[in-house]
Amino acid sequence: MVAAIDKAIREREHLLVQAGTGTGKSLAYLTPSLLVDGPVVVSTATLALQNQLVEHDLPRLAAAVEPVLGRKPTFAVLKGRHHYLCMAKMEHADEEEPTDTLFDDAPPKATQWLGEAGRLGKQIQRLQAWAEKTKTGDRDELDPGVDDTAWRQVSMPARDCVGAQRCPYGPECFAEASRARAREADLVVTNHSLLAVDMLAERHIVPPHKLLVIDEAHELADRVSSASQAELTPDAIERSSRRARTLIPPAAAESLAEAADALTVGLAETPAGRITGGLPELLQQAVTLTESATRAGLTAIGDIKSDDPDPVRKQQAKAALDDLNDTAQRLLEESAFDVAWVEKSDTGSGRRALVVAPLSVAGTLAQGLYTDRTVVATSATLTLGGRFDTVARSLGLPAASPVPTARPGEPISAETPAVSGDGWTSLDVGSPFDYPKQGILYVAAHLPRPQMSGLPAAAGEELVKLVETLGGRTLGLFSSRRAATQAAELLRARTDLPILLQGEESLPVLVRRFKEDKASCLFGVMSLWQGVDVPGDSCQLVVIDRLPFPRPDEPLAAARAAAVDANGGSGFASVSVPIAAVRLAQGVGRLIRSTGDKGVVAVLDSRLETARGYGAFLRKSLPPFWYTTRPDVALGALQRLSGK
C-alpha cells in the first residue's frame, strides 16, 4: 500500500485502496504523506480514528521520519467552527433565543446562569471556568464533557460567524487559531463533514494541499449528501424571527410568524415520506410565504457595516433568515436533481420537517474532489461483489476497465495489476487475518424468507439456539429497533444471560459492559453495525437478523432507485443492493478484529443463500469466511468455542 501510494503521488494519479482491519492502513498512508514535499490533508469519518491518528500514529511517525527529512514534520487538526468555544457567543449568550436557554420567557444573563442549581446552569458555570484556562477551545478537550444544549450557548456555527475582522474577539478566536495552525502544518487531519462543506464552499476552508487521503472513504458520499441537505421547520422560522425581532419592522416579524403557522399546518396535513409530482398545495403556500417573509426580513436588516454596534448578533439573525430563504427557493424551484420529503419523528419529540437533498452527489464529487490534487481513498469496504466499480462511481470517478485487481493473499508491489479507470487505479491489499480458519459464515437457509418487520418466530428460535450454545458473547445486529427489542425480550425470557439493549443506556457504557462480561449479549441497530470494536473472546458470535436493504420509506434511496428504473435500469440492483452490501460488510466485520479472534457470523436471512444474482453478489462483498448453511456445523463450532 505504501508503494502504491508513493507511485500515485509521483504520477499524480488517484488511487482507491481496500485494506482490511489489521493491515495498518493508517501507517501505510501516513508514511508517504509525511515525506511529500507540500501540504497533505487526511480526512476521516469518525472521531475515534481522528484521535488515533493525532494522539498515537502521527507522533511516532513524525519522530521516525525526522532523520530522513532533517526536521520533524508538523501536524494539526482542523474541525468546524462549532467545535470551538466562541468568546463572542459567550458575551452575547444572554440574547439567545429562549429555546436554547434555561427559561422560555426571559433569557438569563451569564451571571444568572451561575446561580442556577439545574444541570444546564452547572455546565455553563464549568464552561466559563474552562474558557479562562483552555488554550485551544476545542470541545473534545473538555473532560468531562457537556451536552449539546450547553455547548450551543458558547459555540458559533460557521454561518453565524461575522468573521475575525469584524468580531471584537477576533484576535483571540480559537477557531481562527486552529485554522492558522492548519495553514502552517505539513499534515492536516480533518473530517468528512468539513471536507464536504469545503467542496461546497469552493475549497476555501481546508488549506491548499497537493495530496488528500480519505480514510473510511465508503462514508464520504453520504457525508456530502448530508452537507448538501437542507430543511424547513416551524421551529427554525420562529427562532429566526426571535433573533431578528429588534432588527426588522413588526410587519416583517408578523409575516415570519404566519409562515411558521402555515408550515405547521402543511406538515400536519402531509404524510411522512417522499414528495413526488410537486409540493402539495398547503406546503407550496407555506414555502412561498417563508420565501417572501425571509426575503423581507433580509431587506430590512441590510448589510453589516464596520461601525455596526453589534455585528455578531446582526450576522446571526441574517444567517438564519438567509438559510431559510435559500431552502425555500430551492424547494420552489422543484429541480429534477433534488429530492424532497416530509420527515416526522417517531420518538415522541414531535419534530416535523420539510427536507430537500440532492438526488446524487457523484457530480459534485467529480467536480470538487479531484481537481489540483491527488486523492487516495481507502477503506476496509471499497469493493462490492469483488469489484471497485460501484464505489468508484459513487465517488464521482469514471467507470473502470475490466482489469482484475490484486486479490487478498497475492504478493503486493507497486507493479501489482489493478482495476483502473480514467485517471485512477485501485488495489486490494488483502488482510492479515486468515478468515477461512478464524471464522464461519453461517446462513440459515432453512428459515422462511423474512416478510413482516420485527423478528419472525422461526428466526427467534434460531437465535436462542445459537446464543445458548455459545453462552453469550453475542453481538446482535438488527434491521429495526422493534426486532432488537423483541430479540432482547425473548432472550431475557428464555435464558439467564445478561442482555444489553441499545437505548437502555448510553452506547459507550453498553459496549464497556459487553467487553467486561463474557456471558453478556449486546443487541442494537444500525449504529452498532460500524461503531463497535470488541477484539478477543467477548464477541465470538455476530447475528444479523436480515439483509440490510434500505427501507422503502428511506426517501433518498427510493428516489435514486426510481430514477434508475425510469432510465431503463434496475434501481434495486444499482441502488438497494450496493447499500446492503456495504452495510452487511461493515456488520460482518465486527467479528474478526485481531489475528487471534475466532467465531461465527450467523445471518438469519435465507436470501443470502437462495436469492439468485444478488445473494452471490453480497457474499462476494464479504470477507472469505468458511461458508456453510448447515445448522449443525455452526452449532458445533459454537459448542467448541464455549469450552463446555
Side-chain angles (χ1 to χ4, degrees):
M1 183 172 174
V2 171
I5 292 175
D6 178 65
K7 183 172 181 286
I9 293 169
R10 285 187 283 105
E11 299 184 1
R12 298 183 180 180
E13 190 168 52
H14 308 305
L15 176 67
L16 302 184
V17 185
Q18 176 161 284
T21 303
T23 54
K25 65 177 179 293
S26 59
L27 297 181
Y29 62 68
L30 289 176
T31 301
S33 296
L34 288 172
L35 299 174
V36 169
D37 181 20
V40 175
V41 171
V42 176
S43 181
T44 74
T46 60
L47 182 62
L49 179 54
Q50 195 174 68
N51 289 339
Q52 175 194 313
L53 296 180
V54 173
E55 295 174 11
H56 301 288
D57 297 340
L58 278 168
R60 289 192 299 156
L61 281 174
V65 302
E66 184 176 8
V68 179
L69 296 178
R71 65 180 183 86
K72 183 179 287 188
T74 58
F75 53 90
V77 179
L78 183 63
K79 304 174 184 177
R81 285 189 179 275
H82 63 284
H83 282 279
Y84 297 94
L85 181 74
C86 175
M87 302 304 292
K89 189 70 175 288
M90 290 188 70
E91 175 72 17
H92 294 271
D94 60 321
E95 296 163 2
E96 275 298 296
E97 61 270 17
T99 54
D100 277 352
T101 58
L102 291 171
F103 305 108
D104 287 336
D105 48 1
K109 299 283 186 182
T111 52
Q112 290 175 302
W113 273 338
L114 299 178
E116 289 299 322
R119 184 168 62 91
L120 182 58
K122 292 178 180 178
Q123 289 184 353
I124 297 296
Q125 183 178 21
R126 188 154 55 82
L127 280 166
Q128 291 186 326
W130 177 67
E132 296 176 0
K133 60 184 181 182
T134 179
K135 294 182 179 180
T136 66
D138 188 337
R139 181 181 183 178
D140 294 328
E141 295 183 10
L142 179 62
D143 187 18
V146 297
D147 61 31
D148 290 345
T149 302
W151 185 253
R152 279 197 298 270
Q153 311 304 319
V154 298
S155 64
M156 183 76 76
R159 67 179 186 276
D160 293 355
C161 180
V162 73
Q165 299 302 316
R166 292 174 176 167
C167 179
Y169 292 93
E172 52 194 290
C173 176
F174 291 116
E176 287 294 323
S178 75
R179 293 192 178 194
R181 289 192 295 270
R183 287 192 294 270
E184 298 298 320
D186 296 301
L187 188 145
V188 176
V189 179
T190 188
N191 57 73
H192 291 357
S193 296
L194 189 59
L195 182 67
V197 172
D198 181 58
M199 276 189 285
L200 297 173
E202 300 182 348
R203 309 248 295 256
H204 292 316
I205 300 172
V206 177
H209 52 280
K210 297 180 179 179
L211 174 65
L212 170 64
V213 179
I214 305 169
D215 203 345
E216 302 169 305
H218 64 280
E219 295 264 14
L220 182 62
D222 283 344
R223 300 302 172 91
V224 176
S225 288
S226 296
S228 306
Q229 182 173 305
E231 66 178 29
L232 289 182
T233 68
D235 285 347
I237 299 174
E238 290 168 0
R239 281 198 304 271
S240 71
S241 177
R242 286 195 295 270
R243 280 185 167 183
R245 62 182 178 269
T246 61
L247 302 170
I248 60 178
E254 181 64 27
S255 294
L256 286 169
E258 290 175 1
D261 290 343
L263 186 58
T264 299
V265 173
L267 289 171
E269 294 297 320
T270 308
R274 184 163 63 105
I275 295 172
T276 57
L279 293 173
E281 183 178 356
L282 289 176
L283 284 181
Q284 179 83 19
Q285 293 172 358
V287 175
T288 302
L289 280 173
T290 301
E291 195 282 328
S292 61
T294 52
R295 179 159 36 86
L298 287 167
T299 301
I301 293 175
D303 296 331
I304 299 175
K305 301 181 175 63
S306 57
D307 58 350
D308 273 325
D310 193 350
V312 174
R313 185 163 160 271
K314 194 171 182 180
Q315 174 63 25
Q316 287 180 296
K318 188 173 182 180
L321 290 172
D322 204 29
D323 276 357
L324 292 171
N325 186 262
D326 286 347
T327 304
Q329 288 188 36
R330 184 175 171 184
L331 284 160
L332 291 172
E333 287 172 2
E334 297 183 0
S335 167
F337 300 105
D338 273 339
V339 181
W341 69 89
V342 170
E343 198 172 275
K344 297 186 179 183
S345 172
D346 56 1
T347 61
S349 65
R351 169 184 150 77
R352 294 177 176 179
L354 178 57
V355 189
V356 60
L359 182 62
S360 170
V361 296
T364 300
L365 287 163
Q367 294 176 10
L369 188 59
Y370 303 102
T371 306
D372 298 327
R373 59 186 172 191
T374 299
V375 176
V376 174
T378 185
S379 167
T381 49
L382 281 187
T383 62
L384 300 179
R387 295 182 59 84
F388 284 90
D389 300 60
T390 302
V391 171
R393 284 196 299 270
S394 73
L395 291 174
L397 290 168
S401 60
V403 180
T405 185
R407 298 305 307 156
E410 294 179 0
I412 301 299
S413 73
E415 289 74 38
T416 300
V419 171
S420 63
D422 184 12
W424 66 275
T425 60
S426 65
L427 186 68
D428 184 344
V429 302
S431 169
F433 304 148
D434 191 345
Y435 282 109
K437 292 184 178 179
Q438 289 185 249
I440 292 174
L441 174 60
Y442 162 58
V443 177
H446 62 283
L447 293 179
R449 181 188 179 102
Q451 300 291 336
M452 303 295 290
S453 63
L455 185 70
E461 291 300 320
E462 189 83 9
L463 173 66
V464 171
K465 284 191 289 187
L466 292 165
V467 173
E468 280 190 323
T469 300
L470 182 60
R473 309 182 198 181
T474 302
L475 176 65
L477 304 176
F478 293 89
S479 55
S480 68
R481 189 165 300 279
R482 179 184 175 192
T485 301
Q486 288 176 327
E489 292 173 349
L490 179 64
L491 266 293
R492 285 168 177 168
R494 299 273 293 273
T495 74
D496 295 325
L497 298 170
I499 307 299
L500 309 171
L501 179 62
Q502 186 179 6
E504 292 184 345
E505 289 189 69
S506 71
L507 191 54
V509 170
L510 291 173
V511 173
R512 187 181 71 247
R513 289 177 58 189
F514 180 52
K515 289 180 179 179
E516 293 172 351
D517 187 351
K518 292 181 181 178
S520 66
C521 301
L522 174 58
F523 293 169
V525 290
M526 195 52 66
S527 56
L528 289 184
W529 290 59
Q530 296 189 58
V532 176
D533 185 13
V534 185
D537 56 4
S538 291
C539 179
Q540 293 187 309
L541 173 61
V542 173
V543 178
I544 295 173
D545 70 326
R546 67 174 63 199
L547 299 179
F549 291 112
R551 300 188 312 270
D553 60 351
E554 290 186 38
L556 268 178
R560 288 167 180 168
V564 174
D565 290 338
N567 287 321
S570 168
F572 178 73
S574 298
V575 178
S576 299
V577 172
I579 289 173
V582 172
R583 292 175 179 175
L584 188 62
Q586 289 290 321
V588 167
R590 298 310 95 197
L591 181 68
I592 305 298
R593 309 299 295 175
S594 70
T595 53
D597 288 353
K598 292 183 178 181
V600 175
V601 174
V603 179
L604 308 183
D605 189 332
S606 58
R607 292 175 294 176
L608 190 57
E609 164 65 19
T610 61
R612 293 182 178 180
Y614 73 79
F617 178 89
L618 293 176
R619 292 199 303 274
K620 286 182 181 178
S621 303
L622 302 178
F625 290 109
W626 199 86
Y627 181 72
T628 184
T629 58
R630 291 174 52 186
D632 60 313
V633 172
L635 293 172
L638 294 174
Q639 182 74 41
R640 291 190 294 274
L641 286 171
S642 72
K644 296 177 183 177

